Amino acid sequence: MNQNQSSDIPDAIVNSLSSSEEESRRLAVVALSSVPLEKSSGLLFRAMGDTSWRVRKEAVEVYLSSKDAEHCIDALFNLLRSQDNAGLRNSAAEALARLGKSSLPVLELHAQDSDSDVRKFVVDILGMMRDPSSVQVLVRALADSDPNVATAAAENLGNIGSVDALQPLLSALSRQDITFRHSVLEALANIGQPLPVEAVTPFLSEVLLKKAVYECLGSVGRVEAAPIVVRGLAEAGKSVRVAAVKALMAIRDRVPEEWEDNHCDALLQELAQSPVVEGLLVLLDSSDIALRRAVIRIFGLIGDPRTARAILRSCRSEQLLPECIPALRAQGAVTIDFLEEEFAGGDEGERVNILRLCGEMGLKASAPLLRRAFDEPSPQLREFSVRSVGRIGLVELIPEISALLGDFDQDVRVAALETLALLADLDASSVGRVAADLAVSDNPDKRRDAAYLSGVLRDGDRLSMLMKDEDDLVRRTAVQGLARLGGDDAVHHLALALTDEIPGVRIAAASSLGETGKQIAVEPLVLVMADPDPWVRCAAIRSLGRIGGDIPLAAIENALDEEDGLVSLAALDALRSFDTDRSRQFARRATTSGNGDVVKAALKLLAEREDPWLDEHWNEFLRHPHWDVRNTIVRYVAEKLGQEALPLLREALETETDDLVRGRIVEILEKF
């Protein structure tokens, strides 16, 4: 930088760039954004080599934000020659890459630079840009005399992923350099286009390239590669076996029809009882979920009984369960005797796993094991055994399940009730008898269970009886059960429940009437809008919204005028079911509310409807007395108008007094 360049830059900025305080130097760089680049470039380039990455990053951003950035590309490129400052070179490389096509001519010009370090930077920058037009420059670099440049060229061709690089990369494999060949194989894998097997398999003779070859075959190979990759499962090197495992399943998933037509699964079945299985079992100890998933799938195809125990233990992982189930089904050793033996010798986690597996696999023969687990001291074992009974559909265990409704553990009780509900589809009469016994119990919890099961069974008579129960929770459960019936009789009973002395029951009744969707429910719901409890009115207004129609819309209009903000918010929520000029008029009117939350909800609804009325009132809401309304509308304005919002937001910033809102506006302005 010459003297003329810096003469117009305030001394305070120049001096701050040499400050020992990192933040002072960063702010000085920010200040340079107001100085023309022709005057500030020298200082910015110096800052790009600062010891602080934050300062360097800021310098790059300021440089790129300049409208004259493209005019200084040559000077920027020359920073790559700074041998003693890696930070400066990296900053220059980032800036050149982000300039995109503008920097391509300079980069191509220096692709044959006499300095190998510079040539490598050129190659890496082109890779960062990922511009297909630079492929030929990188292809030429494959033959560079410097192995680092050639290797970088291969890597970056893989990053760009252009098919135009395939043949040059294949030809480059003749170069006698292991590291370079490794990079070429990785590049071919990244491009992912099918290749002849013979193009890469000769390199399996190189111990250091085996892993890369299998990874490449996993990406580009088809069924003809299957026998070769299967042989890789027997490799002594663990990392090579891992690559072969993943490659094999990748090929199978990519060409499933070809795989099946060529009977490739038979290649794996031949491995049963072989030492290969033992080598694969070791891989299940990995933390790599993708690897474990592939190994389990392979075990399912091999069908070696020795793998059953390892697969069983892998079922404890939710991520692996979808692979474990079919793999275990393929194992002839997974019998009930095997599971019972494992259950007897397992810890609690393993035993839970086995009980769960019985349900997932639908093993009807596991009924004796599940029944015995009902008596286990561990609540978790009891819970999982009960849930598996429901999944399998073991209706013969309904009496034992009903007994667990009195279990001391809540999770077990819930599992028992939900399982009886599942079994009701298979044996309604048996579950009905359970509900009948529970309905006359002295224990209100059991009567509540009776109401729940009666709802599942759609037993209107019993539900109407339980609606008169002395316990309000029983009545509420019965009300919720009636919603399943959906007929006119159900509406009648629910309307009666709107007069219950307990608000919770009235809320349940009002909500359930909406679920029926019946027009005959409108009248009682409108009447309940006079209920003294605001939560009951909220439930009623939401149900009116679900049912729809002119009368509900009129009730919603009246609710918008309520003093209680809860009801007004519920009314706005109900308006979402309507998309008419009239409903939008109601939402517009709600924006005049004195309750900021109501105004916000109305604005949100109008924004969702993309109501053009908002375009005429942005300024009004940007000056709303409630800070949160202003904060909300700032975001809506930015989302709707984009760049056109900037004048509005700048004007709002001049008068905004709330720090949070000011911060939101500044954040949006900086973003644009």
Side-chain angles (χ1 to χ4, degrees):
M1 181 190 70
N2 59 44
Q3 187 62 36
N4 290 334
Q5 278 185 301
S6 62
S7 59
D8 295 335
I9 301 176
D11 290 342
I13 295 178
V14 176
N15 293 335
S16 294
L17 285 170
S18 301
S19 171
S20 60
E21 296 291 334
E22 176 191 56
E23 185 63 10
S24 296
R25 300 197 304 278
R26 190 189 71 81
L27 292 174
V29 171
V30 173
L32 287 174
S33 61
S34 62
V35 180
L37 190 59
E38 63 179 15
K39 298 181 180 298
S40 66
S41 60
L43 293 174
L44 281 176
F45 291 162
R46 191 178 90 189
M48 285 186 190
D50 196 273
T51 55
S52 163
W53 72 267
R54 294 178 67 238
V55 176
R56 296 196 300 271
K57 185 74 173 173
E58 200 72 66
V60 170
E61 298 299 331
V62 171
Y63 175 84
L64 293 173
S65 67
S66 171
K67 64 182 187 332
D68 298 321
E70 296 178 7
H71 299 157
C72 298
I73 291 178
D74 287 326
L76 179 66
F77 184 88
N78 283 329
L79 300 180
L80 297 176
R81 302 185 188 280
S82 304
Q83 298 291 334
D84 58 345
N85 192 327
L88 177 59
R89 295 197 302 273
N90 291 335
S91 294
E94 179 187 350
L96 287 164
R98 290 175 60 186
L99 281 169
K101 289 185 180 294
S102 300
S103 63
L104 276 177
V106 173
L107 293 169
E108 291 176 1
L109 178 66
H110 291 280
Q112 302 297 322
D113 197 277
S114 60
D115 187 333
S116 61
D117 288 342
V118 171
R119 296 200 304 275
K120 185 175 184 305
F121 265 116
V122 168
V123 166
D124 286 336
I125 293 168
L126 292 173
M128 290 164 64
M129 292 167 62
R130 299 189 180 223
D131 191 322
S133 65
S134 65
V135 166
Q136 291 309 312
V137 177
L138 293 173
V139 165
R140 288 192 292 273
L142 287 172
D144 197 282
S145 58
D146 187 291
N148 292 327
V149 177
T151 299
E155 291 173 356
N156 286 300
L157 283 169
N159 292 336
I160 294 174
S162 172
V163 294
D164 293 339
L166 281 177
Q167 194 54 52
L169 284 167
L170 287 172
S171 299
L173 282 170
S174 61
R175 183 167 178 160
Q176 300 296 316
D177 183 317
I178 293 292
T179 303
F180 176 74
R181 282 176 169 170
H182 193 283
S183 296
V184 171
L185 289 167
E186 286 185 339
L188 292 169
N190 286 337
I191 294 172
Q193 290 294 312
L195 294 173
V197 171
E198 59 272 15
V200 296
T201 50
F203 300 102
L204 285 171
S205 60
E206 294 279 0
V207 174
L208 296 177
L209 291 179
K210 284 184 176 182
K211 178 174 179 289
V213 170
Y214 286 124
E215 288 173 346
C216 185
L217 289 173
S219 181
V220 306
R222 300 184 75 83
V223 289
E224 62 269 20
I228 298 165
V229 181
V230 168
R231 288 198 293 273
L233 301 180
E235 287 282 353
K238 183 176 178 181
S239 63
V240 179
R241 290 202 310 279
V242 167
V245 164
K246 290 184 176 181
L248 194 64
M249 289 298 97
I251 294 171
R252 189 175 190 268
D253 290 340
R254 187 164 56 253
V255 287
E257 294 84 6
E258 290 181 29
W259 183 281
E260 185 174 349
D261 291 344
N262 287 272
H263 309 289
C264 293
D265 283 347
L267 297 170
L268 291 167
Q269 292 162 6
E270 292 173 4
L271 299 177
Q273 304 299 331
S274 74
V276 173
V277 172
E278 297 164 12
L280 294 176
L281 280 168
V282 174
L283 302 184
L284 278 182
D285 292 332
S286 170
S287 60
D288 183 343
I289 289 293
L291 170 62
R292 294 169 67 193
R293 187 177 287 127
V295 170
I296 290 168
R297 291 178 63 194
I298 287 174
F299 283 160
L301 297 171
I302 292 174
D304 190 323
R306 292 176 297 168
T307 65
R309 186 168 283 106
I311 299 173
L312 183 63
R313 287 175 181 153
S314 296
C315 289
R316 295 178 72 167
S317 168
E318 290 285 347
Q319 295 170 287
L320 297 175
L321 193 61
E323 282 71 36
C324 289
I325 300 299
L328 279 171
R329 285 198 176 107
Q331 307 297 315
V334 184
T335 62
I336 294 304
D337 289 341
F338 168 75
L339 292 175
E340 288 190 338
E341 180 184 344
E342 290 294 307
F343 186 85
D347 59 27
E348 182 172 342
E350 290 167 341
R351 299 172 89 194
V352 163
N353 191 38
I354 291 167
L355 294 172
R356 178 185 181 186
L357 189 64
C358 291
E360 296 286 352
M361 295 182 68
L363 299 175
K364 289 186 176 295
S366 65
L369 173 60
L370 296 173
R371 181 187 286 112
R372 288 198 301 275
F374 294 167
D375 297 324
E376 287 285 343
S378 164
Q380 196 176 25
L381 290 176
R382 298 198 300 278
E383 178 189 351
F384 274 88
S385 61
V386 168
R387 293 199 180 279
S388 287
V389 167
R391 288 190 181 95
I392 299 170
L394 298 172
V395 293
E396 64 269 28
L397 296 184
I398 285 176
E400 289 89 341
I401 295 291
S402 63
L404 289 172
L405 291 172
D407 196 277
F408 71 84
D409 185 86
Q410 182 180 5
D411 290 339
V412 176
R413 296 197 301 273
V414 170
L417 187 63
E418 292 176 351
T419 295
L420 287 170
L422 286 174
L423 297 176
D425 287 338
L426 302 174
D427 189 349
S429 60
S430 294
V431 176
R433 288 193 291 274
V434 172
D437 291 340
L438 294 170
V440 295
S441 171
D442 292 335
N443 186 334
D445 290 340
K446 292 189 176 182
R447 298 199 302 276
R448 187 164 67 249
D449 290 344
Y452 175 81
L453 292 174
S454 297
V456 171
L457 294 163
R458 300 179 183 276
D459 188 340
D461 291 339
R462 183 166 291 115
L463 286 170
S464 61
M465 178 193 76
L466 290 167
M467 277 184 60
K468 303 168 187 174
D469 196 275
E470 62 183 16
D471 185 273
D472 64 285
L473 293 179
V474 175
R475 299 199 302 275
R476 185 189 303 182
T477 306
V479 163
Q480 292 165 340
L482 277 167
R484 294 173 181 261
L485 274 63
D488 291 353
D489 286 344
V491 173
H492 170 72
H493 288 299
L494 290 170
L496 290 176
L498 290 173
T499 62
D500 196 281
E501 61 180 342
I502 301 298
V505 178
R506 302 201 300 276
I507 290 170
S511 297
S512 297
L513 281 168
E515 291 174 24
T516 68
K518 294 280 188 178
Q519 283 293 327
I520 60 171
V522 169
E523 183 178 353
L525 285 169
V526 170
L527 291 174
V528 89
M529 289 306 298
D531 195 282
D533 190 292
W535 293 104
V536 177
R537 301 201 298 277
C538 286
I541 205 69
R542 288 192 173 95
S543 285
L544 286 168
R546 284 195 288 271
I547 295 172
D550 291 338
I551 295 175
L553 188 56
I556 291 169
E557 179 185 10
N558 292 333
L560 285 170
D561 296 328
E562 283 216 21
E563 292 183 6
D564 195 308
L566 284 173
V567 180
S568 297
L569 289 170
L572 285 166
D573 193 29
L575 276 179
R576 281 185 165 75
S577 301
F578 303 83
D579 190 10
T580 63
D581 289 338
R582 188 179 172 197
S583 67
R584 283 191 286 275
Q585 287 288 347
F586 294 163
R588 294 170 191 170
R589 195 181 76 197
T591 63
T592 63
S593 170
N595 185 314
D597 290 333
V598 172
V599 176
K600 280 175 54 183
L603 289 172
K604 182 178 180 182
L605 179 58
L606 292 169
E608 289 171 357
R609 296 279 190 264
E610 297 185 353
D611 192 335
W613 177 86
L614 276 178
D615 295 335
E616 304 168 11
H617 294 81
W618 293 126
N619 270 318
E620 176 185 335
F621 294 113
L622 285 168
R623 289 167 176 74
H624 194 276
H626 197 288
W627 71 269
D628 207 9
V629 171
R630 301 196 302 276
N631 194 45
T632 299
I633 208 68
V634 161
R635 178 167 57 84
Y636 289 160
V637 168
E639 290 175 355
K640 177 74 185 297
L641 303 181
Q643 291 275 1
E644 296 176 13
L646 299 185
L648 276 173
L649 295 177
R650 289 193 184 101
E651 184 180 346
L653 186 61
E654 293 177 4
T655 57
E656 182 56 59
T657 57
D658 185 89
D659 289 341
L660 185 61
V661 183
R662 285 182 63 83
R664 168 67 63 86
I665 296 174
V666 169
E667 180 184 338
I668 292 172
L669 291 175
E670 288 179 347
K671 177 182 175 183
F672 283 110

